[in-house]
Amino acid sequence: MASAELPVLKPADYGTDQDVRWCPGCGDYSILAQMKKVMSNLSMSREDTVFVSGIGCSSRFPYYMNTYGMHSIHGRAPAFATGLKSSRQDLNVFVITGDGDALSIGGNHFMHVLRRNVNLNIVLFNNRIYGLTKGQYSPTSEKGKVTKSTPMGAIDNPIHPLSIAISCEATFVARSIDVHIKHLASTLERAVAHKGVSFVEVYQNCNVFNDGAYKWATDKDTKAETVLELEHGKPLIFGKDRDKGIRLNGMTPEVVELGKGISEDDLLFHDEKSPEPTLAYLLTRMSHPEFPEPIGVLRDIDAPCYDDAINYQVAQAKETRGEADLDKLFNSGDTWEVE
């Protein structure tokens, strides 16, 4: 008998029949579209893919993907995803989260899934605002941000998600922008291909409560001067005329103009494969308007995965100690009789 050929799935095949309930013009639409495109390009199985989310606008994502999914608890999506990936290593597991969900109540879970290097993918939608609850400031809102909950301006120092990821030594760390669709698609595709935890921050516009938060990075007249697109092994060059770059002054990055005694060889060269995360961390500290902000892959290294290690331990325990006996376990060690 001739073997039946599996159908080739198009991007639309990865979507559901649910009405997408995001505000018209929201950057979430772009991320959803590029995720479908990536899954189609990689011929990913819908039956073997799971999207896990927490709470927030971004966390409606599982409803719109024709895969398995879970709309879980505020900030706890990494914990659910860790358990799922550890027990079902054959699955492609994604965590979809936002700056409020991941970095406020979810900060602890976010940190540990990164440092454990669980083999799953995290996509963080960063619009620097709480959109679902109607416009309060978030952990990534800039200092002085006036919102409904900070009428006199936010006094908190903002969190830099990439800095946290690098400091936790995540093995794949990247950033893209919602409207840079080709760059976003290629970044997500690389994240999916990575063995280990992948973290992608997406600068995303909330046109209702924080419109224009990243206008400097998306406006065609300014983005060449404000965005630095990283390329492995290449010098850090930017500018409309490609005449500016980043070099190190000791351990401090500085913007320089090429020419007048400064050449490409004087610039910092990007090495996403370096096991030492220090230079990658310095890139995460480059913020507009003092610096162009880097997009692309900051770090992509190999390291042992948590889910591999935990399953190896279970197999070793079964081999050396035999099958578990719960009754024996409950009645061994330090036990007390209470009268």
Side-chain angles (χ1 to χ4, degrees), residues 120-230:
L120 51 78
N121 311 287
I122 304 171
V123 183
L124 186 149
F125 299 28
N126 185 2
N127 57 18
R128 290 181 173 169
I129 204 76
Y130 277 103
L132 187 68
T133 50
K134 308 299 184 288
Q136 299 85 355
Y137 83 118
S138 85
T140 58
S141 295
E142 61 271 28
K143 202 168 185 178
K145 180 70 174 178
V146 175
T147 72
K148 294 177 180 178
S149 55
T150 54
M152 297 182 68
I155 59 175
D156 298 4
N157 289 314
I159 287 176
H160 300 279
L162 295 184
S163 297
I164 294 178
I166 294 294
S167 65
C168 290
E169 300 203 37
T171 53
F172 184 96
V173 180
R175 174 194 282 151
S176 192
I177 303 173
D178 56 1
V179 296
H180 293 194
I181 57 176
K182 290 183 179 179
H183 186 273
L184 176 57
S186 64
T187 301
L188 291 173
E189 196 162 316
R190 284 198 59 186
V192 172
H194 177 72
K195 170 74 171 176
V197 71
S198 73
F199 172 67
V200 178
E201 176 189 28
V202 184
Y203 279 171
Q204 173 254 325
N205 193 46
C206 175
N207 59 315
V208 175
F209 296 108
N210 201 23
D211 194 26
Y214 301 109
K215 186 177 181 181
W216 50 267
T218 59
D219 190 297
K220 64 180 181 179
D221 295 326
T222 61
K223 64 182 182 180
E225 303 294 331
T226 58
V227 173
L228 171 63
E229 190 164 341
L230 300 172

